[in-house]
Amino acid sequence: MEGFLMRGGERLKGSLRVGAAKNAVLPILAASILADSPSTLVGCPRIADVESMRSILQTLGCESRWEPDGLVVSGGLSSGEMPEKLSKRVRSSIFLLGPILARLRHATVVYPGGCEIGLRPIDLHLSGLKRMGVEISETGGVLRCDGSRMHAADVHLDYPSVGATENVIMAAALTKGVTTVTNAAREPEIEDLQAYINAMGGHVQGAGSPTVTIEGTRELHGAVYAPMPDRIAAGTYLCAAAITGGEITLDHVQPRHLTAVLQKLREMGCEIEEGENVLSLKAPRRLQAFDTLQTQPHPGFPTDMQSPMMALAAVARGSSVIVENVFENRFALAADLNRMGARIRVAGRAALIEGVESLHGVSCQARDLRGGAALVLTGLCAKEETLITGVELIDRGYERMETELTRLGAQIRRISVTE
Ligand code: EPZ
């Protein structure tokens, strides 16, 4: 197991280029099998979730290799049988269900199972595909999907699920006729998936709005595509500067993807300037508490930024309230922050955070990806040494976080920790 050993107190300063978005690249990797010819994902991040997805694609007959400018994926697939072990380890394997059905008209997948932040059901994925005529039988957690009579359909999602929206778009991309998705998720990553499929010769419109239409084509070809910048990684590094009273400039970022986050950081006293593909933040010596933060589907406040914002609220002047409306179990971080001297009370979907002057460093373990990143943020400002173990979870979504933070002046280094 590996850990980050940190000593807080430095005000971060400097600039950083944001990498491509994990939550855009994962569905795009799934969509790459819609074509038989290769795609190049320019600037693809070298993160653990991408490596896991590559392993699953390989078992399906889709090879991939790193090149200097990104990841080349061969496209195509020879099997529709998803490997059980890998599917459970990588939740985003469920994104492959739509494209496999689109290509082979049959698929076997296992329930991806829950994770630290919630049960992560897939009922909306399955009901959307059933609306398209897919017949699904389940025995012992294995889903056998028969898409031999798949057809275009009007699919209404009970909830604007990101993954379900993406799965239906990919299933419809090679299904004759016009499929519409209403109450679709509006996240920017879905606009990116649309742009990639259209670069492959597809006809997808409306992503980013509640109604997406997909006109199925007979075939699609590979494409060279540069996925969008990672808005959550960008938000996390803005928070790193904010919690240390520092200043940071990010390039290769789209400020319009972060409107809700920038508003909260301004509420906390940060001065933020927005440019074409650049953002700069200058933090006050001590942050001011925000009043209330509610996570919502896009364009509301993104749930993936909730844990980083809890870390900021923990040391802000005044009290803040966070309401987590998207996932049912995303406050695990509070217990670790309280061990560091924070004053956080959780009641159901709400957390009350009374800001304290400072936190003291402890040994703690990352419990989930974004909670782990939030622990790093507290390690940047805690007075003594902080040891964070389980950083493999952080590596799932952040490329060499310790290298980026060291460049900004943080005292952090990766160490191996015996189990
Ligand atoms: C995507 O997950 C992201 N992951 C998540 O990022 C992100 O938090 C989430 O969207 C919300 O923005 C990727 O894109 C790989 P949902 P996804 O389906 O698609 C419920 C991170 O840290 N739901 O919009 O799984 C579900 O339980 C990760 O990078 C159903 O009830 O999110 C949750 O409460 C974490 N039935 C809510 O909807 C379903 O069939 C939102 O889930 C599907 C979802």
Side-chain angles (χ1 to χ4, degrees):
M1 188 191 274
E2 292 188 310
F4 286 154
L5 191 58
M6 306 180 66
R7 182 171 289 280
E10 307 295 335
R11 295 177 62 193
L12 299 195
K13 280 186 191 295
S15 60
L16 182 149
R17 176 180 166 71
V18 179
K22 166 178 89 77
N23 291 348
V25 162
L26 293 177
I28 284 173
L29 278 171
S32 70
I33 64 173
L34 291 169
D36 265 330
S37 48
S39 286
T40 299
L41 305 188
V42 178
C44 185
R46 294 176 182 247
I47 53 177
D49 272 12
V50 166
E51 293 304 336
S52 303
M53 195 63 157
R54 290 183 63 209
S55 315
I56 294 180
L57 288 175
Q58 189 176 39
T59 62
L60 299 175
C62 175
E63 298 295 336
S64 60
R65 67 179 187 282
W66 289 107
E67 293 285 350
D69 60 348
L71 184 71
V72 178
V73 279
S74 65
L77 78 160
S78 52
S79 157
E81 309 270 322
M82 291 265 275
E84 174 156 359
K85 211 158 43 69
L86 267 173
S87 308
K88 283 188 177 298
R89 183 154 65 86
V90 186
R91 270 197 44 74
S92 16
S93 56
I94 191 63
F95 289 141
L96 284 158
L97 182 52
I100 293 173
L101 285 167
R103 288 299 306 278
L104 303 180
R105 292 298 194 255
H106 65 84
T108 304
V109 297
V110 291
Y111 262 106
C115 70
E116 315 75 19
I117 62 175
L119 287 173
R120 311 299 293 276
I122 57 169
D123 56 306
L124 298 171
H125 297 241
L126 303 184
S127 56
L129 294 170
K130 285 176 186 165
R131 275 287 293 149
M132 296 178 69
V134 178
E135 289 167 19
I136 301 172
S137 61
E138 189 249 316
T139 39
V142 178
L143 297 168
R144 284 179 179 70
C145 307
D146 173 1
S148 51
R149 283 181 292 284
M150 261 172 96
H151 53 74
D154 293 336
V155 176
H156 181 81
L157 296 177
D158 289 347
Y159 175 91
S161 152
V162 173
T165 303
E166 292 166 337
N167 241 331
V168 172
I169 288 172
M170 292 187 279
L174 290 176
T175 301
K176 189 168 176 300
V178 177
T179 294
T180 58
V181 185
T182 48
N183 197 28
R186 299 165 57 186
E187 274 67 7
E189 289 76 14
I190 296 172
E191 293 178 72
D192 225 39
L193 177 64
Q194 167 177 285
Y196 171 63
I197 293 176
N198 290 346
M200 298 168 89
H203 301 299
V204 186
Q205 290 179 316
S209 83
T211 303
V212 182
T213 54
I214 309 102
E215 185 184 347
T217 54
R218 285 175 48 76
E219 62 178 12
L220 293 168
H221 54 75
V224 176
Y225 189 74
M228 61 179 260
D230 195 315
R231 62 194 171 103
I232 305 302
T236 307
Y237 287 111
L238 289 176
C239 289
I243 203 170
T244 59
E247 47 191 284
I248 192 170
T249 298
L250 300 181
D251 63 46
H252 186 239
V253 62
Q254 292 197 15
R256 72 176 178 87
H257 290 163
L258 281 159
T259 305
V261 175
L262 299 182
Q263 172 158 310
K264 279 300 161 205
L265 289 171
R266 286 184 169 119
E267 266 181 52
M268 299 188 89
C270 296
E271 291 169 26
I272 295 171
E273 281 178 36
E274 304 176 32
E276 184 62 28
N277 288 304
V278 68
L279 262 176
S280 61
L281 175 145
K282 190 171 173 13
R285 286 293 299 161
R286 187 178 179 198
L287 295 166
Q288 176 60 39
F290 52 77
D291 182 32
T292 304
L293 183 160
Q294 295 239 24
T295 65
Q296 301 286 353
H298 194 76
F301 190 93
T303 174
D304 294 347
M305 282 299 302
Q306 184 258 101
S307 292
M309 293 302 281
M310 181 181 275
L312 267 57
V315 291
R317 183 181 289 107
S319 293
S320 310
V321 174
I322 291 180
V323 183
E324 172 54 63
N325 294 305
V326 176
F327 286 105
E328 67 270 26
N329 184 28
R330 210 166 194 178
F331 283 144
L333 173 70
D336 291 309
L337 296 187
N338 284 339
R339 284 178 51 229
M340 300 168 94
R343 284 211 289 269
I344 303 172
R345 276 176 286 163
V346 172
R349 285 188 176 273
L352 170 66
I353 303 111
E354 291 175 59
V356 296
E357 283 274 342
S358 61
L359 297 173
H360 46 83
V362 295
S363 277
C364 49
Q365 179 165 348
R367 303 168 193 245
D368 62 75
L369 165 57
R370 307 303 177 182
L375 286 174
V376 174
L377 298 182
T378 50
L380 291 171
C381 67
K383 279 195 281 195
E384 310 78 7
E385 216 167 55
T386 300
L387 172 64
I388 301 165
T389 57
V391 297
E392 296 76 17
L393 276 174
I394 301 173
D395 292 339
R396 281 189 45 213
Y398 297 91
E399 202 170 346
R400 305 298 302 170
M401 179 183 259
E402 76 278 15
T403 311
E404 298 292 1
L405 292 174
T406 302
R407 280 185 51 252
L408 295 169
Q411 291 190 51
I412 177 173
R413 64 191 171 88
R414 185 182 288 258
I415 60 170
S416 69
V417 180
T418 48
E419 292 292 336

